[in-house]
Amino acid sequence: MLTAAVFLPLLGAFIAGFFGRLIGVRGSQIFTCLFVGLAALAGIYSFYDVAIAGHTQVVNIMTFLSSGTFEAQWALRYDTLSAVMVMTVTCVSTLIHIYACGYMSHDDSQPRFMAYLSLFTFAMLMLVTADNLVQLFFGWEGVGLVSYLLIGFWFKKPSACAAAIKAFIVNRVGDFGFLLGIFAVYYLFDAVSFDVIFGAAEGKADAQVTFFGIHAHALTITCLLLFVGAMGKSAQLFLHTWLPDAMEGPTPVSALIHAATMVTAGVFLVARMSPLFEYAPNALAVVTFLGATTAFFAATVGSVQNDIKRIIAYSTCSQLGYMFVACGVSAYQGGIFHLMTHAWFKALLFLSAGSVIHAMSDEQDIRKMGGIWRMIPITFAVMTIGTIAITGIPPFSGYFSKDMIIEAAHAAHTGVGNYAYFMTILVALLTSFYSWRLIFITFFGAPRADHHTMEHIHESPWIMLGPLVGLALGAVFVGGAFSYLFIGEGREHFWGEAIKVLEAHDSIHRAHTEHVPFLIQWLPLIVSLLGLGWAYLFYIRRPDLPGRLAGAFPGVYQFLLNKWYFDELYNFLFVRPAFRLGRFLWKRGDTGVIDRFGPDGISMVTGLFAGRLGRVQSGYLYHYAFAMIIGIAAIVSWFVLGRAG
């Protein structure tokens, strides 16, 4: 079943990609949705096979790479972590595929789009079921490649092409770090197979490496390099700039990237390599600090954005920070649990935003919306459900996973853990504020769209609303239904031996077995309700207050509106110097040296020589006779002088 769950999306992508013109739009939709749906059923079966029966296995397919003593198998690793990821990816991807059939109904390239979606799903499944780092890197690069194709799907839009290139380049930076991390792992363990690496991890706990005369803890360096790769894929601070621009792709792409696939790859990597990270406490501290800082950064920026999809994109960046905080304090189950619940309500929010955009004649600026909740009541209802879930209000899914992370950060009892706890509480307040701000501005108040747009507002077709309802059910029930496997008594059976490693390092164990003070337990909910009240005051009761506040602090407002000026800083430090260097090499190097003394120089000399030689061809017989006599004289002279010598 696991093999079917992984390869059925690839089969759908192959059929739609190579035979799309033959089977048509409807055929492409049917094949891709059918195969991803069957993969979801296989993924659900696989999940319960692990959760209930406790069956773990490795399905060997073929030798992936073999060179001398080095060998990497192409195998599917079937354990708790991969089972959670396979079920989440396939289920959410199925609903996104169905939604895309309606959302992209007016696009001429639907077979290509559906093929890309299925290929994206397959690449992510290859990543999460990998049994070694080489295969994982194959899936890792696969999601990077297909994300480039999907973000730039509307390639006639310059902004879409620029966003695709930006995502590709920024991820190459992270991928380079990840590749160095793989080299470091192979250097330390002489293997890339997870079983070999994890089995030998304890023996390498104190290993040191010397690099340019500097002695350093080997596993710390290795884990930091791996985390650089995770930062790129999961859009953590400094390598986050590609994520908001990825909104240039169609909305189903945004939902798939932000909910179940690409951005979760970094969190998965840290969780998968947790046996190494547990012996690198300094690396875990870095993960915790950057995760908490990213969560705060993205929440502040999301609070002032006006593009409906960019607000949700920064929300993704912030929630990924929560997941890394969990991993950083050794609460890996908490990070994966939040990844699982987040996939449902974040896909719901993105696809609901797509339904709003569809209703508003492709308008994405929330300042040009308002007063539409009665016109699209189903979209309003499901988007509100997604908002309740992400703000952590019980009994919706986000409450269980987000509170688990906050409590784990508090239970860490370390300096960086306390920093993360403070930041996650503050971010919970900001998350509630900007999420409800989005709801209030978009759906309530006086209509701010033009008369023509208001006349054409309509609810989306059921092929789009159906997946929204399915995702809404997940946003409501997934957290409560599966919390016992991540938090409660069922976790010992579900996670097996892994729980012993985690409890040995104690933070997640303490977070859910010791008595949690009343204020610590309920503070996340309190600040979420405060954020709701704050947004209600600003955008329903006193809509003049946001403008007055921005006017009172224009510098802060512009700083946040311009995303902490990261794009401008990178443009100054990297982009402009790269363009200047490229222009110099082009003008002075290529044109001035290579062309001048190469093709252009040879061409010039040849032309000059041909011109001079052409003058000899005068057409007069006595000129040719004279040349022949000179030639004979030269040959005779050479012969005589040669004999004389």
Side-chain angles (χ1 to χ4, degrees):
M1 293 296 285
L2 181 65
T3 306
V6 173
F7 286 100
L8 281 173
L10 177 63
L11 180 59
F14 178 83
I15 293 173
F18 288 97
F19 304 103
R21 291 186 178 181
L22 181 64
I23 62 178
V25 170
R26 182 64 63 190
S28 299
Q29 293 174 345
I30 290 173
F31 276 109
T32 52
C33 292
L34 175 63
F35 286 133
V36 175
L38 291 174
L41 294 177
I44 293 171
Y45 173 83
S46 301
F47 177 82
Y48 281 101
D49 194 30
V50 169
I52 297 173
H55 295 154
T56 60
Q57 59 178 304
V58 175
V59 180
N60 286 306
I61 298 175
M62 58 181 289
T63 299
F64 191 74
L65 239 160
S66 180
S67 177
T69 59
F70 174 81
E71 185 173 288
Q73 293 294 320
W74 190 353
L76 305 180
R77 188 179 184 87
Y78 182 32
D79 60 9
T80 301
L81 182 57
S82 61
V84 171
M85 295 298 298
V86 168
M87 183 182 71
T88 303
V89 170
T90 52
C91 288
V92 174
S93 181
T94 298
L95 295 172
I96 293 173
H97 271 70
I98 297 171
Y99 178 95
C101 295
Y103 189 86
M104 301 293 289
S105 59
H106 301 296
D107 196 281
D108 296 332
S109 303
Q110 286 185 72
R112 178 166 62 92
F113 183 76
M114 300 304 292
Y116 286 169
L117 283 185
S118 290
L119 186 60
F120 200 13
T121 304
F122 165 72
M124 187 64 187
L125 292 172
M126 285 301 303
L127 190 158
V128 300
T129 58
D131 188 46
N132 57 73
L133 284 169
V134 174
Q135 184 182 334
L136 194 152
F137 189 72
F138 169 77
W140 189 273
E141 291 302 300
V143 294
L145 170 62
V146 186
S147 69
Y148 168 79
L149 297 174
L150 284 170
I151 294 169
F153 180 77
W154 287 324
F155 55 85
K156 293 182 180 179
K157 288 175 58 179
S159 57
C161 294
I165 293 171
K166 185 176 183 179
F168 196 80
I169 292 174
V170 173
N171 272 275
R172 294 293 71 72
V173 177
D175 293 354
F176 180 67
F178 182 33
L179 200 57
L180 292 177
I182 294 175
F183 294 158
V185 169
Y186 184 69
Y187 173 78
L188 282 175
F189 298 96
D190 195 30
V192 292
S193 172
F194 291 142
D195 287 335
V196 177
I197 295 168
F198 299 160
E202 186 175 2
K204 299 291 184 179
D206 299 319
Q208 299 284 316
V209 293
T210 303
F211 189 69
F212 289 115
I214 301 174
H215 298 279
H217 185 235
L219 285 180
T220 298
I221 298 298
T222 301
C223 290
L224 287 175
L225 289 171
L226 294 174
F227 181 57
V228 170
M231 288 172 61
K233 276 291 182 288
S234 293
Q236 293 301 281
L237 198 63
F238 305 117
L239 294 179
H240 68 280
T241 53
W242 68 270
L243 193 64
D245 290 3
M247 297 304 97
E248 290 293 337
T251 298
V253 174
S254 304
L256 197 56
I257 289 177
H258 286 249
T261 54
M262 184 164 167
V263 297
T264 63
V267 180
F268 170 81
L269 175 65
V270 175
R272 174 59 83 197
M273 303 304 292
S274 57
L276 298 189
F277 276 89
E278 284 302 304
Y279 294 106
N282 290 334
L284 285 178
V286 172
V287 172
T288 306
F289 176 80
L290 272 176
T293 306
T294 301
F296 173 71
F297 153 76
T300 59
V301 175
S303 298
V304 299
Q305 296 300 303
N306 298 308
D307 185 297
I308 188 170
K309 289 173 64 177
R310 283 180 179 266
I311 295 171
I312 304 173
Y314 278 107
S315 170
T316 299
C317 193
S318 183
Q319 297 303 308
L320 288 166
Y322 268 98
M323 299 174 205
F324 279 111
V325 166
C327 294
V329 296
S330 297
Y332 300 101
Q333 292 119 300
I336 296 301
F337 188 27
H338 196 53
L339 184 157
M340 181 183 181
T341 60
H342 175 265
W344 290 90
F345 58 71
K346 185 50 58 70
L348 174 61
L349 288 171
F350 264 114
L351 297 188
S352 298
S355 185
V356 172
I357 295 168
H358 177 79
M360 296 294 296
S361 303
D362 297 328
E363 179 59 65
Q364 295 186 202
D365 192 333
I366 60 174
R367 295 171 298 182
K368 298 179 182 179
M369 300 179 186
I372 62 173
W373 73 272
R374 288 188 179 89
M375 302 176 184
I376 47 174
I378 300 176
T379 299
F380 166 68
V382 295
M383 196 165 191
T384 302
I385 289 173
T387 301
I388 295 173
I390 196 174
T391 54
I393 297 176
F396 287 40
S397 294
Y399 164 75
F400 297 94
S401 55
K402 181 185 287 187
D403 279 27
M404 179 183 180
I405 293 172
I406 294 174
E407 290 178 20
H410 175 264
H413 298 308
T414 61
V416 71
N418 292 335
Y419 170 78
Y421 173 71
F422 173 77
M423 280 297 187
T424 50
I425 288 292
L426 181 57
V427 171
L429 172 67
L430 294 174
T431 300
S432 182
F433 169 72
Y434 69 68
S435 298
W436 289 109
R437 169 182 178 264
L438 172 60
I439 292 292
F440 293 148
I441 296 179
T442 301
F443 293 101
F444 293 93
R448 294 178 294 275
D450 58 74
H451 181 69
H452 176 77
T453 301
M454 294 302 296
E455 283 184 340
H456 290 82
I457 292 178
H458 59 283
E459 191 62 274
S460 299
W462 272 105
I463 196 170
M464 294 170 62
L465 294 179
L468 292 180
V469 173
L471 290 168
L473 292 174
V476 174
F477 297 113
V478 164
F482 295 103
S483 61
Y484 79 101
L485 295 176
F486 294 86
I487 304 172
E489 296 179 357
R491 64 196 177 97
E492 287 84 356
H493 170 72
F494 186 60
W495 293 95
E497 290 296 320
I499 198 69
K500 298 178 182 178
V501 177
L502 299 176
E503 289 186 350
H505 295 268
D506 219 24
S507 64
I508 188 171
H509 180 65
R510 290 196 310 268
H512 296 284
T513 55
E514 69 178 359
H515 176 69
V516 180
F518 177 84
L519 182 61
I520 300 301
Q521 185 176 359
W522 292 103
L523 189 57
L525 177 59
I526 293 171
V527 297
S528 291
L529 295 176
L530 285 175
L532 168 59
W534 180 14
Y536 180 79
L537 174 65
F538 268 38
Y539 299 102
I540 300 296
R541 298 292 298 174
R542 294 288 304 277
D544 61 304
L545 287 179
R548 293 172 60 183
L549 184 63
F553 302 97
V556 175
Y557 177 71
Q558 289 298 320
F559 180 71
L560 298 180
L561 190 64
N562 287 282
K563 304 158 289 187
W564 291 25
Y565 292 102
F566 269 103
D567 283 327
E568 289 77 5
L569 178 63
Y570 288 173
N571 191 51
F572 174 76
L573 292 177
F574 304 115
V575 178
R576 289 181 183 175
F579 272 105
R580 284 196 294 266
L581 177 62
R583 193 173 295 110
F584 172 80
L585 293 175
W586 168 36
K587 293 289 187 181
R588 300 294 180 85
D590 190 11
T591 304
V593 177
I594 298 175
D595 283 350
R596 181 181 178 186
F597 296 104
D600 289 349
I602 294 172
S603 176
M604 181 183 66
V605 171
T606 303
L608 183 64
F609 180 75
R612 297 289 176 85
L613 189 62
R615 294 178 184 177
V616 178
Q617 307 298 326
S618 63
Y620 294 109
L621 183 61
Y622 57 85
H623 284 171
Y624 297 143
F626 179 72
M628 292 172 63
I629 293 171
I630 294 297
I632 293 171
I635 293 173
V636 170
S637 299
W638 175 78
F639 182 76
V640 171
L641 292 174
R643 291 289 297 269

